[in-house]
Amino acid sequence: MPLREPPLNAVRAFVAAARHQSFTRAAIELHVTHSAVSRQIKSLEECLGVALFERRIRQVALTAEGQQFFAEAGPAIAQIHAAARALQAQGPVRAVRINVRPSFAVRWLIPRLPLFVERYPEIEPQVVTSTVMPEQAAGSFDIAVRRGLEGWPPSIEVRPFLEDEVLVVGAPALFKAHPLSDLRALASHVQLSARTRKEDWDAWKKHVGAPRAKPAGRLQFDHLHFVLQAAVDGLGIALAPTSLVAHDLASGRLQSPLPALRMPLNRYYYGLSPDAAPEAAYVAQWFEEMMASDSQGAMALAGP
């Protein structure tokens, strides 16, 4: 019987897991789910006919066969990546126009773009910010992202993207000086809002049953990303979509003192223009991977 060649994706997952000694860290590196890494490695073990890892509680360890395979497969995968990068560097750069709202660009897309550029160095992502709906921006993008299903031209197949909620955030130093442990303490804080989302506070208070007490003050800005920066700088508390503050919460620049009190928002959708550059498909695939990654981290948003 001829030998079966192991699937390359499974080998790649194995090498990442072996290097980190963790399926979870391998999943983060590869931008896939933990279960996807586990399935890939299981299929590789079935193909090779040996166990590559010892599964222990909350950790894994290479078997002797796994160590032997990693010693050969690790350098081979690195060599494949190096060969691909060398060829990509010789080819022409191809651009993809990504049309998003300014706040989404600043708070979600741009912090993650290095991951895309590292994987696809031959593709140049051109971020185009706009507040108009995609049907009004037709012809100025290859792929667009917006909240909700309204305002998309019929020629575009719209695909579901990020689910979202809004919650209260502020600077750690602010909550240390003025704790916000319950809804009654809202009145002691300055409320920050965006001109384009000035109804959010009333809607959120109604949703969570907060008292309609007058706040200590109000500050309004033109765009949401200005509001979030003001929150980081300690000017007050803000209502923030979880999609746009994940990095700030993870780094500790912002905290959520009432993490359970969230209000659902319209989810994001993305769509490719009918005449989109072929490379836009890679952006769409990357969006899908980022969506899976973000959904894993959504429950990890911690309070102070």
Side-chain angles (χ1 to χ4, degrees):
M1 178 182 291
L3 294 176
R4 293 172 54 198
E5 291 191 5
L8 187 57
N9 279 342
V11 175
R12 183 168 172 248
F14 163 76
V15 168
R19 188 169 60 253
H20 292 293
Q21 293 288 290
S22 167
F23 287 9
T24 299
R25 291 180 180 176
I28 293 172
E29 176 185 319
L30 300 174
H31 311 300
V32 298
T33 63
H34 179 284
S35 60
V37 170
S38 181
R39 286 195 303 270
Q40 292 276 21
I41 293 174
K42 183 66 175 177
S43 70
L44 181 60
E45 290 176 324
E46 292 173 352
C47 176
L48 298 176
V50 296
L52 299 172
F53 286 97
E54 295 178 8
R55 274 76 166 176
R56 303 171 181 172
I57 298 176
R58 297 186 180 178
Q59 63 178 349
V60 294
L62 285 168
T63 62
E65 293 82 1
Q67 292 174 357
Q68 178 184 352
F69 189 61
F70 179 53
E72 298 289 341
I77 290 293
Q79 186 174 358
I80 291 172
H81 288 171
R85 284 193 293 268
L87 287 177
Q88 290 166 349
Q90 297 174 15
V93 174
R94 297 165 291 177
V96 176
R97 298 165 298 169
I98 308 172
N99 188 300
V100 295
R101 293 182 64 91
S103 296
F104 189 85
V106 171
R107 292 283 169 172
W108 191 93
L109 180 57
I110 292 174
R112 291 166 174 80
L113 268 185
L115 298 172
F116 181 85
V117 173
E118 180 181 3
R119 185 184 301 185
Y120 302 107
E122 78 283 7
I123 299 176
E124 178 186 318
Q126 297 180 350
V127 180
V128 180
T129 61
S130 172
T131 59
V132 302
M133 298 306 293
E135 63 184 359
Q136 298 172 283
S140 64
F141 65 85
D142 294 298
I143 186 168
V145 178
R146 289 293 189 279
R147 284 194 191 277
L149 291 169
E150 295 183 1
W152 292 90
S155 59
I156 291 182
E157 178 188 353
V158 179
R159 305 173 191 177
F161 193 22
L162 303 172
E163 294 186 289
D164 214 358
E165 299 171 303
V166 71
L167 76 171
V168 177
V169 298
L174 178 67
F175 295 133
K176 186 175 182 180
H178 303 283
L180 179 49
S181 57
D182 56 49
L183 293 172
R184 290 173 298 177
L186 285 169
S188 64
H189 286 272
V190 175
Q191 292 179 3
L192 309 174
S193 62
R195 180 176 52 81
T196 54
R197 302 188 63 91
K198 55 188 177 183
E199 299 85 8
D200 277 3
W201 274 110
D202 287 340
W204 178 83
K205 288 179 180 179
K206 182 178 179 180
H207 182 78
V208 302
R212 296 179 62 85
K214 184 177 180 181
R218 292 187 176 93
L219 287 175
Q220 190 175 102
F221 300 85
D222 283 344
H223 297 290
L224 182 58
H225 52 280
F226 296 150
V227 172
L228 298 181
Q229 186 59 52
V232 168
D233 291 336
L235 291 178
I237 58 175
L239 284 176
T242 56
S243 62
L244 304 188
V245 291
H247 279 256
D248 294 299
L249 291 170
S251 67
R253 279 158 46 94
L254 288 174
Q255 288 182 345
S256 176
L258 305 168
L261 300 181
R262 306 183 181 199
M263 180 179 71
L265 294 174
N266 287 338
R267 78 178 299 163
Y268 285 99
Y269 292 82
Y270 73 87
L272 278 69
S273 171
D275 57 352
E279 292 74 23
Y282 293 102
V283 178
Q285 177 184 341
W286 181 69
F287 277 171
E288 295 288 341
E289 294 173 2
M290 290 296 99
M291 177 170 59
S293 176
D294 279 16
S295 65
Q296 285 184 9
M299 298 307 297
L301 294 176

